Amino acid sequence: MDVQNVIYAVVILGVLGLLLGVVLAFASKVFHVEMDPRVIQVLDALPGANCGACGFPGCEGMANAIVAGDAPVNGCAIGGQETAEAVGEIMGQSADGVEKQVAVVRCQGDCDHSKNKYEYNGLVDCRLIGDYAQGSKGCSSGCLGGGTCVSVCEFDAIHVRNGIAFVDKEKCVACKKCIDICPKHIIGLMPYKQKTEVKCSTHDAGKVVRTNCSIGCIACGLCERNCPKDAIHVNDNLAKIDYEKCINCGICASKCPTGAIYTEYPERVEKMKEKDRQKKAEAAAAKKAEAAKAQAEKEKIVAADSDK
């Protein structure tokens, strides 16, 4: 009797399985959506990082959007020009020039250059650190150094050194995850080719900046007055570079009295500073010589008057 029950159960399950299989097969035919073969081609051309930097849910979402006309063929920030051209060829469209972007942390106030308001001993997360009194840094716009940006970077492109986050340009794919999670909003994008940047985000007055950080922008305007291309301007107590005009000459960095303007050409900047020092020394020596000459003339006139 037990054996018969088992056989009946197996037969019933088999029939049910067969019926369900038929129903599923019928449903797949009825509800089948024909996929545009270009989606697969575009998907193969994309990097496959699924980083979300394009604003779509992964590379497949981006591929569907491109084929549907909801995204440009050069919408993949990671792939750059090569990927844009490959996708453009598939879609029969021209891929305009795509300039590679990288993240930049606009703060240099590390443990050696900035002051702290208090010692923080809680959980190491920038969002928690910033909840109390706008963070432990004296500068309310300074990097908190908790490494929350590091935790979300899937490309090992950002690290905290001496209390400040730094971006590795060669690894960064501009996915914007570090930008979105930073509670201080001091991480932004800049062109990969850009070699000069104002690494400061404070809008405080110069006196306040000097109190909190020795390497912050004090809005002195020397960079603006000396730029040969009108590519940098001070607004709301903070210098900002116009990437379209900047030629990376480094003059602004050489004139900056606090070092708030960073450049990848430190040797060039040092030569400029040395040249400025020499000019100042020569001008001081000339002024001193002129004063000595005037004094000698004065003494000569006094002596002549005495002889009379």
Side-chain angles (χ1 to χ4, degrees):
M1 191 69 177
D2 290 338
V3 174
Q4 285 184 333
N5 288 337
V6 171
I7 293 174
Y8 289 148
V10 170
V11 171
I12 292 171
L13 287 174
V15 172
L16 287 174
L18 181 63
L19 289 174
L20 287 173
V22 172
V23 170
L24 289 174
F26 177 75
S28 66
K29 291 288 186 181
V30 173
F31 298 106
H32 174 70
V33 177
E34 195 70 37
M35 178 180 283
D36 192 320
R38 293 178 300 173
V39 172
I40 302 299
Q41 293 176 309
V42 171
L43 186 58
D44 288 340
L46 294 174
N50 293 311
C51 64
C54 57
F56 295 94
C59 292
E60 185 173 351
M62 178 66 169
N64 280 299
I66 290 174
V67 173
D70 296 329
V73 295
N74 61 0
C76 179
I78 298 176
Q81 184 64 25
E82 184 178 350
T83 297
E85 289 176 356
V87 174
E89 186 175 350
I90 295 169
M91 297 301 298
Q93 299 177 22
S94 174
D96 296 328
V98 179
E99 186 173 23
K100 182 180 179 181
Q101 301 279 309
V102 291
V104 57
V105 180
R106 296 190 174 101
C107 178
Q108 296 183 100
D110 58 19
C111 298
D112 298 327
H113 295 94
S114 63
K115 295 179 180 179
N116 285 342
K117 294 180 289 190
Y118 57 86
E119 290 296 324
Y120 178 81
N121 295 309
L123 293 173
V124 184
D125 187 303
C126 295
R127 293 165 294 185
L128 296 176
I129 298 172
D131 281 344
Y132 180 70
Q134 294 185 308
S136 56
K137 284 279 180 71
C139 174
S140 60
S141 302
C143 175
L144 298 171
T148 307
C149 52
V150 179
S151 67
V152 298
C153 181
E154 299 177 16
F155 304 93
D156 192 38
I158 188 166
H159 297 92
V160 174
R161 300 198 302 266
N162 198 22
I164 286 291
F166 288 89
V167 175
D168 184 337
K169 290 177 67 174
E170 304 307 320
K171 293 182 178 180
C172 181
V173 298
C175 68
K176 301 181 183 179
K177 289 186 177 180
C178 59
I179 296 174
D180 294 337
I181 206 167
C182 177
K184 290 294 182 179
H185 308 294
I186 61 172
I187 307 178
L189 289 180
M190 72 174 187
Y192 173 82
K193 67 179 183 181
Q194 185 66 24
K195 309 298 182 183
T196 309
E197 178 63 295
V198 180
K199 285 201 171 183
C200 182
S201 299
T202 185
H203 293 281
D204 291 335
K207 184 177 180 181
V208 176
V209 175
R210 286 188 180 278
T211 301
N212 295 320
C213 180
S214 64
I215 201 168
C217 176
I218 58 174
C220 64
L222 283 172
C223 54
E224 182 175 339
R225 291 193 293 273
N226 287 277
C227 179
K229 296 296 181 180
D230 192 40
I232 186 167
H233 293 277
V234 176
N235 291 304
D236 194 14
N237 291 328
L238 182 64
K240 185 176 181 180
I241 295 175
D242 183 339
Y243 301 135
E244 296 296 324
K245 294 181 178 179
C246 181
I247 58 173
N248 290 303
C249 64
I251 292 176
C252 58
S254 71
K255 298 296 182 181
C256 181
T258 64
I261 303 178
Y262 168 83
T263 179
E264 294 181 23
Y265 304 122
E267 299 85 2
R268 181 190 299 177
V269 170
E270 189 53 42
K271 287 181 180 179
M272 291 180 184
K273 288 183 177 180
E274 181 59 32
K275 190 174 181 179
D276 284 343
R277 285 192 288 265
Q278 289 177 357
K279 284 184 178 180
K280 287 180 180 179
E282 290 172 1
K287 187 176 180 180
K288 186 176 180 180
E290 188 66 28
K293 182 179 179 181
Q295 181 64 28
E297 289 291 335
K298 184 178 179 181
E299 291 176 355
K300 185 177 180 181
I301 292 172
V302 171
D305 289 341
S306 298
D307 291 340
K308 292 178 180 178

